[in-house]
Amino acid sequence: MLKIENLRAEVGGTEILKGLSLDIGAGEIHAIMGPNGAGKSTLSYVLGGRPGYEVTGGSVTFDGQDLLDLEPHERAAAGLFLGFQYPVEIPGVSNVQFLREAANAQRKARGQNPLSGGEFLKLAKEKAGLLKMDMEMMKRAVNVGFSGGEKKRAEMVQMGILDPKFAVLDETDSGLDIDALRVVGDGINAIMRESGKGVLLITHYQRLLDYVKPDFVHVLAKGAIVKTGGPELAAQLENEGYEAVAA
Ligand code: ADP
Ligand code: MG
C-alpha cells in the first residue's frame, strides 16, 4: 500500500530524513514513535507534499503509484489522508461548508458525481455521530475556538467523510483528555480499521495504542527507522525511554 524506500528530505537546507524505509501493507496499522525533533512530522509533511520539504533521495510508492510525483491534491484524490499535529483554523467557513467542498472536490477528481446538500448532511451526521460531535459544532467555523480535543475530533470527522484508503495521523492524541482519547481511538477503529484501511499513527505516547492496536511499532530517531517491533515495543519505550531502547 505505502512503500517508502531510503527516503531523504531537507527542510531549509538541513537534512532531516536520512534514509528512511518503511513498508506498510494494505489494511495494516503501523505506529511510529520517537523523540522530539526526530523527523516524525517532517515525514508526514513530505508524504503530503508540503512546500518547503525537499526530497533529495529515495522513493515513495502509494498503491503502485509514484507518490512523490503527484501534487498534494492528487495525493488526496488517490486516497491519502493526512491529519496534522497542529490543525489550522479557518474563520468564516463552517465545518459543513468546508467538508462538503472538500468531499466534492475529491469526488470530482475521482470522476464521481457531487453529493447534494441532503446527501452530504446525511453523511456528515453519520460520521459526526461516530466521533460524538454534535451538528451544532459542525456548523461552527473550522476549528475556531475549538479545544485541542475538539480539533482532533473534527479532523477525524473529516477523515470519515473523505473516506481515504490510507491515513497518516500526526500526534492525533496530543491535547486529548482520557475521554476524548477513547472517542478518537474508537473513531479511528470505526472509520479505518474496521473497513480494512491502513493507518500510520505518529505518536509520543503508548496510550493511544491501547485503543488503536498497531500491527507494528517503529522507532524513528535522527531521521531513520532504528527499530521495529510489535505492540510490546511501545510498552517497552514507555517504560524505559527512547535512549535505552533505541540507542
Ligand atoms: P518531530 O515531529 O519528530 O518532533 P519534526 O519533523 O517536527 O520532528 O522536526 C525534525 C527536525 O527538523 C527538528 O530538528 C526541527 O527543528 C527541524 N525543522 C522542522 N521544520 C523546520 C524548518 N522549517 N526549518 C528548519 N528546520 C526545521
Ligand atoms: Mg511532530
Side-chain angles (χ1 to χ4, degrees):
M1 170 106 278
L2 183 72
K3 193 173 173 69
I4 303 173
E5 282 182 301
N6 210 15
L7 184 64
R8 293 182 171 270
E10 294 182 0
V11 187
T14 306
E15 184 170 68
I16 308 293
L17 300 183
K18 301 173 183 175
L20 188 149
S21 299
L22 197 58
D23 193 353
I24 304 183
E28 290 177 358
I29 297 196
H30 290 232
I32 288 187
M33 303 179 77
N36 278 320
K40 302 184 299 296
S41 294
T42 299
L43 173 62
S44 71
Y45 292 142
V46 167
L47 294 175
R50 185 175 173 129
Y53 289 74
E54 197 196 341
V55 174
T56 53
S59 65
V60 181
T61 54
F62 177 60
D63 231 4
Q65 293 183 77
D66 179 357
L67 186 79
L68 301 176
D69 212 28
L70 302 178
E71 296 294 323
H73 69 274
E74 295 172 327
R75 299 180 193 198
L80 181 70
F81 177 88
L82 248 44
F84 293 111
Q85 187 169 1
Y86 304 107
V88 293
E89 301 184 1
I90 315 180
V93 178
S94 76
N95 283 285
V96 172
Q97 286 170 308
F98 168 70
L99 292 173
R100 189 173 165 206
E101 287 290 328
N104 280 340
Q106 196 170 86
R107 290 177 70 87
K108 190 173 176 195
R110 293 176 185 166
Q112 299 167 322
N113 291 329
L115 297 171
S116 70
E119 286 167 335
F120 176 76
L121 274 182
K122 186 163 170 266
L123 180 67
K125 267 185 196 146
E126 180 206 331
K127 302 304 178 185
L130 283 176
L131 275 299
K132 298 197 167 44
M133 183 146 171
D134 66 45
M135 286 306 283
E136 283 312 306
M137 275 195 80
M138 294 289 291
K139 289 175 190 160
R140 282 169 50 186
V142 177
N143 287 324
V144 176
F146 282 22
S147 71
E150 288 166 346
K151 286 180 183 173
K152 295 294 166 169
R153 259 195 265 182
E155 189 168 57
M156 295 300 102
V157 174
Q158 183 187 347
M159 181 168 81
I161 287 170
L162 294 179
D163 194 26
K165 291 181 192 157
F166 189 86
V168 179
L169 303 176
D170 190 5
E171 302 216 14
T172 287
D173 47 355
S174 75
L176 298 185
D177 63 27
I178 293 294
D179 293 340
L181 189 67
R182 178 176 295 123
V183 170
V184 167
D186 289 348
I188 296 171
N189 286 329
I191 294 165
M192 303 298 288
R193 155 146 275 168
E194 282 157 26
S195 38
K197 292 169 169 180
V199 182
L200 180 58
L201 274 178
I202 298 175
T203 180
H204 261 307
Y205 302 105
Q206 193 215 334
R207 46 181 206 165
L208 180 65
L209 306 181
D210 291 337
Y211 296 105
V212 184
K213 294 265 186 296
D215 300 299
F216 297 95
V217 174
H218 310 275
V219 181
L220 172 52
K222 300 193 178 89
I225 302 294
V226 296
K227 196 173 176 114
T228 292
E232 75 290 342
L233 179 56
Q236 193 191 353
L237 288 167
E238 185 105 334
N239 292 330
E240 300 173 22
Y242 293 115
E243 290 275 314
V245 176

